Amino acid sequence: MTDIQTASRPLTLALSKGRIFEETLPLLAAAGIEVSENPEKSRKLIIGTSDPNLRLIIVRASDVPTYVQYGAADLGIAGKDVLNEHQAQDPGGLYQPIDLNIARCKLCVAVRADFDYTAAVYQGARLRVATKYTQAAREHFAAKGMYVDLIKLYGSMELAPLVGLADAIVDLVSTGGTLRANNLVAVEDIMPISSRLVVNRASLKTRGAALQPLLDAFERASAAPAP
């Protein structure tokens, strides 16, 4: 895409469906921007807004950093968990100016309720850990001096300890309801997670004047106390 084409198209914000999208809507509203369609009810992947200079693209959460880094989106919103994994592969590729304080949860280690995790750690057992957050898990267990075998999964993480695939999982925990429903318990917190605004570095240089009001509005909205 040429510089002229880039300058003439609307700013593009990459978002994923679900909780991040829903909690981004009030931030956009605070900037005076309404979204034209709900992606949960529409098959469209490019969605307009009340601002002709801003459009949304709907992508998988794990793909948001890639769309932003390679310039298909000028900015995006992604969880710290996703950004940590992306940065392990592409360090320094994204500018992360604002913690939006939305979609808050924790990255945790969880096991079956009848598994004695403390004893296993004390005895130096080599555990099998299922997760899609391999970088965060590797760093966490290395800091504890534990040797683990990481098994990468992309979903239904809670199933792994129940069928003997893994001794533990590393996954996001919000209310803990899914863990309880599957007779699992969180045994360690790895890090708090929230969603952050990420910006393409080239866009910041070439389209800074158009981006800055939106960045300022996001920063004000994310800093405002909850109603």
Side-chain angles (χ1 to χ4, degrees):
M1 186 176 290
T2 66
D3 290 342
I4 293 175
Q5 288 173 317
T6 300
S8 62
R9 69 165 170 78
L11 291 174
T12 301
L13 170 64
L15 286 175
S16 56
K17 291 183 182 180
R19 186 179 175 190
I20 287 179
F21 180 87
E22 293 299 327
E23 295 190 21
T24 297
L25 291 180
L27 302 183
L28 289 169
I33 298 169
E34 301 294 331
V35 177
S36 61
E37 296 183 64
N38 183 340
E40 300 291 349
K41 299 178 181 178
S42 169
R43 294 182 180 271
K44 290 184 180 179
L45 299 177
I46 301 177
I47 297 175
T49 73
S50 58
D51 182 345
N53 294 314
L54 178 69
R55 65 179 182 177
L56 311 183
I57 58 173
I58 306 302
V59 302
R60 288 175 63 97
S62 57
D63 290 336
V64 168
T66 301
Y67 274 82
V68 176
Q69 180 166 338
Y70 288 94
D74 300 288
L75 65 171
I77 296 174
K80 183 180 177 181
D81 52 313
V82 169
L83 295 173
N84 281 355
E85 298 298 311
H86 181 82
Q87 283 189 299
Q89 303 298 321
D90 297 285
L94 291 170
Y95 176 51
Q96 302 182 37
I98 306 170
D99 182 347
L100 297 172
N101 293 308
I102 61 172
R104 301 182 71 86
C105 55
K106 295 182 291 186
L107 189 65
C108 297
V109 181
V111 299
R112 293 191 322 271
D114 61 356
F115 182 83
D116 193 339
Y117 178 77
T118 301
V121 172
Y122 180 75
Q123 294 166 8
R126 184 166 185 142
L127 303 181
R128 287 186 300 177
V129 179
T131 185
K132 66 178 176 180
Y133 305 109
T134 53
Q135 182 66 21
R138 186 177 294 111
E139 292 174 356
H140 173 73
F141 291 112
K144 291 171 64 70
M146 291 178 61
Y147 293 97
V148 297
D149 295 316
L150 295 178
I151 301 171
K152 185 148 190 176
L153 294 179
Y154 294 92
S156 301
M157 214 67 61
E158 296 81 7
L159 185 61
L162 303 181
V163 299
L165 177 62
D167 303 299
I169 63 173
V170 169
D171 203 9
L172 298 180
V173 176
S174 181
T175 65
T178 304
L179 293 181
R180 290 189 295 273
N182 289 284
N183 200 33
L184 303 179
V185 293
V187 290
E188 284 181 338
D189 293 348
I190 294 178
M191 68 176 77
I193 300 294
S194 58
S195 291
R196 296 165 182 243
L197 187 71
V198 293
V199 183
N200 176 270
R201 293 184 181 276
S203 294
L204 195 61
K205 292 179 181 179
T206 60
R207 312 189 73 186
L211 276 168
Q212 197 58 53
L214 189 57
L215 300 187
D216 291 343
F218 272 130
E219 187 162 29
R220 286 194 301 270
S222 62

mmCIF file of all heavy atoms in Angstrom, residues 188-206:
data_model
loop_
_atom_site.group_PDB
_atom_site.id
_atom_site.type_symbol
_atom_site.label_atom_id
_atom_site.label_comp_id
_atom_site.label_asym_id
_atom_site.label_seq_id
_atom_site.Cartn_x
_atom_site.Cartn_y
_atom_site.Cartn_z
ATOM 1 N N GLU A 188 -1.702 -20.720 41.859
ATOM 2 C CA GLU A 188 -0.734 -19.621 41.791
ATOM 3 C C GLU A 188 -1.213 -18.573 40.807
ATOM 4 O O GLU A 188 -1.746 -18.907 39.751
ATOM 5 C CB GLU A 188 0.650 -20.120 41.330
ATOM 6 C CG GLU A 188 1.455 -20.852 42.357
ATOM 7 C CD GLU A 188 2.811 -21.288 41.828
ATOM 8 O OE1 GLU A 188 2.978 -21.408 40.600
ATOM 9 O OE2 GLU A 188 3.701 -21.517 42.653
ATOM 10 N N ASP A 189 -1.008 -17.318 41.171
ATOM 11 C CA ASP A 189 -1.226 -16.221 40.233
ATOM 12 C C ASP A 189 0.096 -15.910 39.549
ATOM 13 O O ASP A 189 1.128 -15.750 40.222
ATOM 14 C CB ASP A 189 -1.723 -14.972 40.952
ATOM 15 C CG ASP A 189 -3.117 -15.144 41.528
ATOM 16 O OD1 ASP A 189 -3.787 -16.141 41.181
ATOM 17 O OD2 ASP A 189 -3.527 -14.286 42.330
ATOM 18 N N ILE A 190 0.070 -15.809 38.220
ATOM 19 C CA ILE A 190 1.282 -15.468 37.479
ATOM 20 C C ILE A 190 1.363 -13.968 37.238
ATOM 21 O O ILE A 190 2.382 -13.341 37.505
ATOM 22 C CB ILE A 190 1.329 -16.237 36.142
ATOM 23 C CG1 ILE A 190 1.463 -17.735 36.414
ATOM 24 C CG2 ILE A 190 2.488 -15.741 35.270
ATOM 25 C CD1 ILE A 190 1.476 -18.589 35.160
ATOM 26 N N MET A 191 0.275 -13.384 36.754
ATOM 27 C CA MET A 191 0.280 -11.932 36.525
ATOM 28 C C MET A 191 -1.139 -11.430 36.341
ATOM 29 O O MET A 191 -2.009 -12.173 35.885
ATOM 30 C CB MET A 191 1.112 -11.560 35.285
ATOM 31 C CG MET A 191 0.517 -12.014 33.968
ATOM 32 S SD MET A 191 1.466 -11.466 32.512
ATOM 33 C CE MET A 191 2.826 -12.624 32.573
ATOM 34 N N PRO A 192 -1.389 -10.163 36.718
ATOM 35 C CA PRO A 192 -2.683 -9.555 36.386
ATOM 36 C C PRO A 192 -2.719 -9.226 34.901
ATOM 37 O O PRO A 192 -1.691 -8.876 34.298
ATOM 38 C CB PRO A 192 -2.700 -8.288 37.244
ATOM 39 C CG PRO A 192 -1.254 -7.946 37.442
ATOM 40 C CD PRO A 192 -0.513 -9.249 37.469
ATOM 41 N N ILE A 193 -3.892 -9.334 34.319
ATOM 42 C CA ILE A 193 -4.061 -9.091 32.887
ATOM 43 C C ILE A 193 -5.099 -7.992 32.685
ATOM 44 O O ILE A 193 -6.131 -7.965 33.347
ATOM 45 C CB ILE A 193 -4.532 -10.367 32.163
ATOM 46 C CG1 ILE A 193 -3.514 -11.498 32.322
ATOM 47 C CG2 ILE A 193 -4.813 -10.088 30.693
ATOM 48 C CD1 ILE A 193 -2.191 -11.265 31.661
ATOM 49 N N SER A 194 -4.809 -7.090 31.787
ATOM 50 C CA SER A 194 -5.794 -6.126 31.307
ATOM 51 C C SER A 194 -5.501 -5.892 29.835
ATOM 52 O O SER A 194 -4.489 -6.344 29.312
ATOM 53 C CB SER A 194 -5.721 -4.821 32.104
ATOM 54 O OG SER A 194 -4.415 -4.264 32.020
ATOM 55 N N SER A 195 -6.394 -5.195 29.161
ATOM 56 C CA SER A 195 -6.211 -4.957 27.733
ATOM 57 C C SER A 195 -5.563 -3.604 27.503
ATOM 58 O O SER A 195 -5.846 -2.630 28.209
ATOM 59 C CB SER A 195 -7.542 -5.063 26.990
ATOM 60 O OG SER A 195 -7.977 -6.393 26.983
ATOM 61 N N ARG A 196 -4.717 -3.571 26.486
ATOM 62 C CA ARG A 196 -3.916 -2.375 26.205
ATOM 63 C C ARG A 196 -4.113 -1.923 24.768
ATOM 64 O O ARG A 196 -4.381 -2.732 23.888
ATOM 65 C CB ARG A 196 -2.436 -2.685 26.457
ATOM 66 C CG ARG A 196 -2.188 -3.013 27.918
ATOM 67 C CD ARG A 196 -0.855 -3.670 28.149
ATOM 68 N NE ARG A 196 -0.748 -3.989 29.574
ATOM 69 C CZ ARG A 196 0.154 -3.482 30.398
ATOM 70 N NH1 ARG A 196 1.054 -2.635 29.958
ATOM 71 N NH2 ARG A 196 0.156 -3.820 31.671
ATOM 72 N N LEU A 197 -3.932 -0.636 24.587
ATOM 73 C CA LEU A 197 -3.944 -0.073 23.244
ATOM 74 C C LEU A 197 -2.555 -0.236 22.645
ATOM 75 O O LEU A 197 -1.552 0.080 23.300
ATOM 76 C CB LEU A 197 -4.321 1.408 23.296
ATOM 77 C CG LEU A 197 -4.537 2.080 21.936
ATOM 78 C CD1 LEU A 197 -5.827 1.588 21.298
ATOM 79 C CD2 LEU A 197 -4.564 3.595 22.083
ATOM 80 N N VAL A 198 -2.495 -0.746 21.421
ATOM 81 C CA VAL A 198 -1.226 -0.871 20.712
ATOM 82 C C VAL A 198 -1.323 -0.094 19.411
ATOM 83 O O VAL A 198 -2.396 -0.010 18.803
ATOM 84 C CB VAL A 198 -0.852 -2.338 20.450
ATOM 85 C CG1 VAL A 198 -0.553 -3.045 21.761
ATOM 86 C CG2 VAL A 198 -1.950 -3.079 19.701
ATOM 87 N N VAL A 199 -0.205 0.477 19.001
ATOM 88 C CA VAL A 199 -0.195 1.373 17.843
ATOM 89 C C VAL A 199 0.933 0.977 16.904
ATOM 90 O O VAL A 199 2.041 0.644 17.349
ATOM 91 C CB VAL A 199 -0.012 2.842 18.286
ATOM 92 C CG1 VAL A 199 -0.076 3.774 17.082
ATOM 93 C CG2 VAL A 199 -1.072 3.234 19.304
ATOM 94 N N ASN A 200 0.639 1.009 15.621
ATOM 95 C CA ASN A 200 1.663 0.775 14.612
ATOM 96 C C ASN A 200 2.652 1.942 14.617
ATOM 97 O O ASN A 200 2.248 3.104 14.564
ATOM 98 C CB ASN A 200 1.006 0.633 13.238
ATOM 99 C CG ASN A 200 2.013 0.493 12.121
ATOM 100 O OD1 ASN A 200 2.446 1.490 11.555
ATOM 101 N ND2 ASN A 200 2.371 -0.741 11.808
ATOM 102 N N ARG A 201 3.925 1.630 14.688
ATOM 103 C CA ARG A 201 4.940 2.688 14.820
ATOM 104 C C ARG A 201 4.998 3.592 13.592
ATOM 105 O O ARG A 201 5.162 4.811 13.719
ATOM 106 C CB ARG A 201 6.305 2.064 15.095
ATOM 107 C CG ARG A 201 6.395 1.390 16.456
ATOM 108 C CD ARG A 201 7.785 0.873 16.746
ATOM 109 N NE ARG A 201 7.847 0.219 18.046
ATOM 110 C CZ ARG A 201 8.026 0.842 19.210
ATOM 111 N NH1 ARG A 201 8.165 2.165 19.213
ATOM 112 N NH2 ARG A 201 8.065 0.174 20.347
ATOM 113 N N ALA A 202 4.822 3.030 12.415
ATOM 114 C CA ALA A 202 4.840 3.859 11.203
ATOM 115 C C ALA A 202 3.619 4.774 11.162
ATOM 116 O O ALA A 202 3.731 5.950 10.773
ATOM 117 C CB ALA A 202 4.873 2.970 9.960
ATOM 118 N N SER A 203 2.454 4.266 11.569
ATOM 119 C CA SER A 203 1.244 5.101 11.596
ATOM 120 C C SER A 203 1.415 6.268 12.554
ATOM 121 O O SER A 203 0.942 7.386 12.291
ATOM 122 C CB SER A 203 0.032 4.264 12.006
ATOM 123 O OG SER A 203 -0.276 3.294 11.043
ATOM 124 N N LEU A 204 2.081 6.002 13.674
ATOM 125 C CA LEU A 204 2.278 7.068 14.655
ATOM 126 C C LEU A 204 3.101 8.207 14.057
ATOM 127 O O LEU A 204 2.871 9.386 14.365
ATOM 128 C CB LEU A 204 2.978 6.501 15.890
ATOM 129 C CG LEU A 204 2.960 7.365 17.150
ATOM 130 C CD1 LEU A 204 1.538 7.609 17.624
ATOM 131 C CD2 LEU A 204 3.787 6.722 18.253
ATOM 132 N N LYS A 205 4.023 7.875 13.176
ATOM 133 C CA LYS A 205 4.857 8.902 12.543
ATOM 134 C C LYS A 205 4.128 9.591 11.394
ATOM 135 O O LYS A 205 4.182 10.818 11.262
ATOM 136 C CB LYS A 205 6.149 8.273 12.026
ATOM 137 C CG LYS A 205 7.085 7.780 13.121
ATOM 138 C CD LYS A 205 8.328 7.139 12.525
ATOM 139 C CE LYS A 205 9.259 6.622 13.618
ATOM 140 N NZ LYS A 205 10.460 5.966 13.051
ATOM 141 N N THR A 206 3.458 8.798 10.549
ATOM 142 C CA THR A 206 2.881 9.373 9.330
ATOM 143 C C THR A 206 1.450 9.886 9.519
ATOM 144 O O THR A 206 0.987 10.730 8.759
ATOM 145 C CB THR A 206 2.871 8.328 8.200
ATOM 146 O OG1 THR A 206 2.080 7.196 8.592
ATOM 147 C CG2 THR A 206 4.289 7.857 7.896
#
